[in-house]
Structure formats: structure tokens, C-alpha cells
Amino acid sequence: IRRVSMRKAEEALVSMCEERARMIQDQFAVSVNHVHALAILISTFHYQKQPSAIDQETFAHYAARTAFERPLLNGVAYAQRVANSERDKFENEQGWIIKTMKRDPSPVQDEYAPVIFSQETVSYIEALDMMSGEEDRENILRARATGKAVLTNPFRLLKSNHLGVVLTFPVYRSGLPPDATVDDRVKATAGYLGGAFDVESLVDNLLRQLAGSQEIMVNVYDVTNISKPLIMYGPQQPDGYMSLSHVSMLDFGDPFRKHHMMCRYSQKP
Ligand code: WA2
């Protein structure tokens, strides 16, 4: 009888874990798809139209009204690529100076990625050079070299200090051929559209609504380097009933990164 109930408990754990993994993966995917569409919106209405049909107010308004399409993102923003030779002109036109992510005036760099458009929920990143933060910088470089959506390591986000990951799409000036080389891509880069997945609070909200959320403990890890898993969600020192666990695969759409979800019971089932 004990063996039968343990088998039932294991089956229940597997199904609850798979349900959670599928749900988070789906909400992640719809959010990424919508940010992709926003990158195309910037390309179409900011770069392919003279003069631009988008300014901060228009972007903020559109981003707020479409926020429901991006359920796991705390906000979206557009950072423009600015070469050092263009910095003075850029700062004069904007009426502000480029700042580092620590909010100091930016020292001289070869190039910058200051945020020029932002959703109101992340207005604190306006004017910040997103290349001044290690994780954001790596994302920017990888996004423009690959032309694809990329994700950072899990890290503590600005302002909230919540654990999350940043998503970045590159925006290119028009005329980039489909068979472009990495060099072509880097040269044609106009800027970066992205946002932060606030995993700590938005995934938490999502999981808490599900039946059984009291009984099971969930962790999400970035396992890109399998010998050094990075925690992305859940308790740092998982306890609970350690003899029974299940690992569900997660695909967040960045082939460079691997993620999985680990579930266990809070108490002996
Ligand atoms: N957005 C919000 N909070 C953050 C953050 C970020 N990056 N980085 C750290 N905390 C505009 O890749 C371009 C958004 C970065 C996009």
C-alpha cells in the first residue's frame, strides 16, 4: 500500500511540474513574440519613416496599452546605438546627458546604448547607457551579432532588485540582406529593444494561482553550464522532501541558454 501511494505521489508531482513548466514557457514565449513585434514597430515607424513617427510619448502610450501581451515583463524600452563621435550632437538634441547604470555621467566609451523610449513602468532606465551593465552589455553584443532574441543570466534587476533576466532584440537600419554576415549585422545596428522578465515576482504570482501551490516547491535554474547551475526562481537552499523530485525541461527560445524546472513536495507525501 505504501508503495502504491508513493507511485501516485510521484505521478502527481510529475504532472504538477509539467503543468507549471508548460505554463511558464508559454507565457515567456508570448512575451518574447510581442517584444519581437515591437522591434519591428521601431524599425518601421522610427527608421523607415522620415521624420520618425515615434517619440517617447507615443512609445510609452503604445507600450502601456499592449502590456497585457507581455505578461512576464515588467516593462519594455528602446536603447539607441550612439557612437562616441555622435555623442555631443545626440546629447544636445535630447537635452540630457548619457548616464551609467549607476546614474553617474557616462565616461567616454567607443559607443553607448542610452534608452530613448521607455514604458512608464521602467522610466528609471531612461538616459541610462545599457552597455554600462555587464549582463545588459553581453546581451546587446550577442543580439546584434546573431540578429535573434537573446537572454541574460539571471541577475538582480535595477530598482526592484528582484531576480530576473533581460530579453534583447536587435534593431537594424533597413537594407540588411537575409544572408548578412556578423560584420554586416554589427555595422547595420541601430539599437536594441528589450525588457526585463521579473521572474521573482511575476512568475511567483503565476505559480501561486495554481492548485497545489501549497504542496510543492518549484525552482527554475539556468543550466547553460550544467556544472554551475544558476538559480532563477525559488528558494536558494531548497529543503522540503528531498527524496522525491522531478525535473521538467524549459525552452525560453535562446538556443545559447538552457533552463530547467525542479519540483518537489514541501512535506513527505
Ligand atoms: N530593463 C529593466 N530593468 C533592468 C534592465 C533592463 N534592461 N537591466 C537591469 N535592470 C532596453 O537590451 C535593451 C533593458 C535593456 C533593453
Side-chain angles (χ1 to χ4, degrees), residues 78-81 101 111-115 128-148 150-152 166-172 185-186 189 191-194:
Y78 178 67
Q80 182 172 305
R81 182 189 200 180
M101 286 167 73
E111 58 173 308
Y112 312 85
V115 170
L128 303 188
D129 172 17
M130 300 316 283
M131 290 181 104
S132 66
E134 187 188 341
E135 292 86 359
D136 276 281
R137 179 190 179 82
E138 282 174 9
N139 240 28
I140 283 170
L141 298 178
R142 201 155 61 83
R144 74 186 189 188
T146 60
K148 302 249 162 63
V150 300
L151 295 172
T152 62
V166 168
L167 166 72
T168 303
F169 271 95
V171 175
Y172 298 104
R185 289 189 180 284
V186 173
T189 301
Y192 321 96
L193 195 285

Side-chain angles (χ1 to χ4, degrees), residues 78-233:
Y78 178 67
Q80 182 172 305
R81 182 189 200 180
V82 176
N84 192 45
S85 59
E86 308 162 326
R87 179 174 175 173
D88 285 345
K89 183 167 174 277
F90 172 84
E91 289 180 334
N92 283 330
E93 281 168 7
Q94 297 290 328
W96 43 255
I97 63 161
I98 302 173
K99 296 188 213 67
T100 68
M101 286 167 73
K102 291 183 171 137
R103 309 205 129 270
D104 303 315
S106 175
V108 173
Q109 305 285 346
D110 288 351
E111 58 173 308
Y112 312 85
V115 170
I116 61 166
F117 304 141
S118 60
Q119 192 175 334
E120 222 159 77
T121 51
V122 291
S123 59
Y124 47 85
I125 64 172
E126 235 181 278
L128 303 188
D129 172 17
M130 300 316 283
M131 290 181 104
S132 66
E134 187 188 341
E135 292 86 359
D136 276 281
R137 179 190 179 82
E138 282 174 9
N139 240 28
I140 283 170
L141 298 178
R142 201 155 61 83
R144 74 186 189 188
T146 60
K148 302 249 162 63
V150 300
L151 295 172
T152 62
N153 283 333
F155 71 109
R156 300 236 159 242
L157 303 173
L158 288 177
K159 196 83 165 183
S160 70
N161 211 34
H162 287 167
L163 204 53
V165 297
V166 168
L167 166 72
T168 303
F169 271 95
V171 175
Y172 298 104
R173 285 186 286 275
S174 55
L176 189 70
D179 61 347
T181 64
V182 170
D183 222 45
D184 295 337
R185 289 189 180 284
V186 173
K187 284 206 182 84
T189 301
Y192 321 96
L193 195 285
F197 283 97
D198 185 330
V199 176
E200 188 166 343
S201 81
L202 298 177
V203 168
D204 199 60
N205 268 335
L206 190 67
L207 292 180
R208 244 160 345 145
Q209 291 166 18
L210 298 177
S213 61
Q214 303 290 332
E215 293 163 58
I216 79 160
M217 292 180 30
V218 175
N219 276 97
V220 177
Y221 296 95
D222 177 318
V223 287
T224 305
N225 178 353
I226 190 69
S227 61
K228 192 173 156 252
L230 304 172
I231 196 156
M232 191 160 150
Y233 174 76

